[in-house]
Amino acid sequence: YQISEELAVDTVYYWRVQANDSGGYGAFSQVQNFTVQSLLQFSLLTDSVQFGSLAAGAVENTTDGVPAPFRGENTGNIPFNVTVNGTRYFTQAAINTSNYLFKARESETGAFNVTQSITSYTNMTSVSAAVAVALLKWQNVNDDFFIDLNITVPTDEPQGVKSSTVTFTITG
């Protein structure tokens, strides 16, 4: 027997079997039970974004795939929300300015609730309670997303290597 509907998580299910052959039905087995445990699990498939060396005043983003955006996947079995925050990227521009922006984008159609997610570029902040990706699904056909970055190098930014630590927080 194959179940044709999705079973709910954290619910006890009871089952028993009865054999049937040319002689008829046998006795039912003892009642057994099982529970599908909820699993909140996340994988970051692309875990760094490398912009390389950019001139003062340059604007670059990951929307075209060069460089590749962050890519995350729900590897559990329940929907969850994702918040995003980062540390300061430039020395001459504070965090929470238009020099360092992010947005969520579907990697697969229907993967998350786009109306409740941040799908237009917004300032990267060091602490965020805003949901970047709302209700990310967990089924294999639609369970992942992109986080695009958009940077504008300040005109007075000194040359050198730049970095920011981006944190993804998952809540189920």
Side-chain angles (χ1 to χ4, degrees):
Y1 178 75
Q2 186 172 3
I3 297 172
S4 60
E5 62 186 59
E6 185 178 298
L7 298 178
V9 295
D10 300 327
T11 300
V12 178
Y13 290 93
Y14 298 91
W15 62 276
R16 64 184 181 167
V17 295
Q18 182 181 37
N20 182 359
D21 61 16
S22 60
Y25 287 95
F28 275 104
S29 69
Q30 290 185 346
V31 174
Q32 303 290 320
N33 68 66
F34 68 94
T35 302
V36 178
Q37 300 292 326
S38 58
L39 176 62
L40 181 62
Q41 185 171 289
F42 172 71
S43 292
L44 199 53
L45 304 173
T46 304
D47 61 1
S48 68
V49 176
Q50 304 290 327
F51 284 107
S53 180
L54 298 173
V59 177
E60 183 65 77
N61 67 63
T62 60
T63 308
D64 64 0
V66 182
F70 288 110
R71 182 173 172 219
E73 179 181 31
N74 184 344
T75 52
N77 65 1
I78 58 173
F80 59 68
N81 295 332
V82 182
T83 57
V84 176
N85 60 59
T87 59
R88 188 174 179 161
Y89 192 78
F90 298 110
T91 57
Q92 298 301 314
I95 193 82
N96 199 16
T97 67
S98 61
N99 293 89
Y100 187 18
L101 307 168
F102 79 94
K103 71 174 181 174
R105 178 169 48 104
E106 288 182 307
S107 170
E108 302 162 324
T109 302
F112 59 89
N113 184 323
V114 294
T115 60
Q116 294 180 358
S117 301
I118 298 173
T119 57
S120 297
Y121 279 118
T122 189
N123 295 350
M124 181 70 78
T125 62
S126 57
V127 178
S128 177
V131 174
V133 177
L135 300 172
L136 179 64
K137 295 179 182 174
W138 58 270
Q139 293 87 349
N140 284 339
V141 250
N142 53 0
D143 61 354
D144 64 337
F145 64 92
F146 294 123
I147 294 295
D148 285 307
L149 298 180
N150 183 325
I151 60 169
T152 301
V153 182
T155 55
D156 57 349
E157 182 73 15
Q159 290 193 4
V161 175
K162 311 296 178 206
S163 68
S164 171
T165 300
V166 177
T167 302
F168 296 82
T169 304
I170 310 307
T171 53

